[in-house]
């Protein structure tokens, strides 16, 4: 399913049983970003519906022993026929810098291309500098901080990539 993972790792589609295990790692994988308010914000961004209705465009990476190593939750836009969206991506901090995040995006890009999509977007908090560096490396454009983008007090940075714009900008 994802053939460019490091040795000892495999991938599968997300399923409903992943809901609580994913919630359980959010705080440590996000390094406690933005304190208790950040923890609450992240947990509320991942209700069970993502693990019921978006599984065919979402992935889990596991170690050979079945322990979760990373996940990506994405979907095809219901509204924009050429668009797809990455809602959440996380890699176990012990495995950062090994290309797992890139491999997840590559797999997502391939999947959405098969569905005729070319624009992929996602967002992050202005405080999440690692996410901004990562998405920039993958070829995403990065907006200026958008105050109140997700509601009062919820500022965001918006990333976008056009998969039709050539290999250099495909994250591959
Ligand atoms: C952001 C995240 C998903 C990156 O995953 P990863 O597996 O470590 O990333 P990769 O190893 O695939 O790196 C891909 C590229 O991005 C770069 N990159 C990744 N994290 C980086 C960082 N913190 N600073 C600078 N560059 C970074 C890598 O150097 C690599 O570039 P290269 O291929 O040119 O060497 C991971 O750090 C993470 O899970 N963070 C916590 C959760 C989070 O913030 N998620 C995103 C917001 S929803």
């Amino acid at each position: 399913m994802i053939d460019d993972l490091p040795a000892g790792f495999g991938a599968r589609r997300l399923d409903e049983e992943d809901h609580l295990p994913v919630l359980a790692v959010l705080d440590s994988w996000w390094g406690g970003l933005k304190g208790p308010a950040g923890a609450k914000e992240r947990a509320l961004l991942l209700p069970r519906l993502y693990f019921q209705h978006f599984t065919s465009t979402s992935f889990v990476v596991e170690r050979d022993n079945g322990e979760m190593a990373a996940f990506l939750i994405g979907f095809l836009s219901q509204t924009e026929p050429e668009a797809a969206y990455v809602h959440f991506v996380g890699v176990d901090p012990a495995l950062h810098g090994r290309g797992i995040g890139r491999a997840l995006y590559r797999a997502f890009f391939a999947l959405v291309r098969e569905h005729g999509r070319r624009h992929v977007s996602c967002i992050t908090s202005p405080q999440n500098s690692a996410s901004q560096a990562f998405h920039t490396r993958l070829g995403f454009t990065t907006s200026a901080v958008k105050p109140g983008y997700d509601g009062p007090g919820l500022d965001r940075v918006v990333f976008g990539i056009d998969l039709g714009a050539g290999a250099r900008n495909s994250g591959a």
Side-chain angles (χ1 to χ4, degrees):
M1 177 170 290
I2 303 182
D3 51 19
D4 51 355
L5 290 168
F9 296 89
R12 61 171 172 79
R13 290 276 191 267
L14 187 80
D15 67 41
E16 194 165 348
E17 299 303 311
D18 294 313
H19 185 211
L20 293 181
V22 165
L23 290 182
V25 298
L26 289 184
D27 275 350
S28 61
W29 286 18
W30 264 252
L33 189 72
K34 297 200 287 174
K40 190 172 175 194
E41 209 181 290
R42 282 186 290 278
L44 290 174
L45 284 168
L46 282 176
R48 182 173 289 265
L49 70 91
Y50 283 100
F51 300 79
Q52 295 170 320
H53 299 293
F54 296 90
T55 56
S56 58
T57 49
S58 303
F59 304 97
V60 170
V61 173
E62 293 175 327
R63 295 174 175 83
D64 283 347
N65 64 8
E67 196 184 335
M68 188 168 56
F71 65 88
L72 180 151
I73 298 175
F75 54 86
L76 307 175
S77 174
Q78 297 285 305
T79 310
E80 299 291 338
E82 292 196 330
Y85 189 86
V86 176
H87 178 59
F88 244 77
V89 61
V91 176
D92 182 337
L95 303 167
H96 284 178
R98 295 183 58 183
I100 294 176
R102 186 187 281 278
L104 278 166
Y105 268 79
R106 241 188 229 136
F108 184 72
F109 290 165
L111 184 66
V112 304
R113 276 191 179 108
E114 283 168 20
H115 286 83
R117 311 296 171 119
R118 63 179 283 175
H119 300 291
V120 178
S121 57
C122 45
I123 58 171
T124 200
S125 305
Q127 295 88 342
N128 196 338
S129 53
S131 175
Q132 291 170 51
F134 169 74
H135 285 93
T136 301
R137 280 306 286 166
L138 263 56
F140 282 83
T141 58
T142 303
S143 76
V145 173
K146 294 180 180 283
Y149 182 85
D150 260 346
L154 299 175
D155 304 349
R156 298 289 184 251
V157 170
V158 180
F159 305 120
I161 192 167
D162 178 355
L163 302 179
R168 198 177 64 81
N169 281 340
S170 71

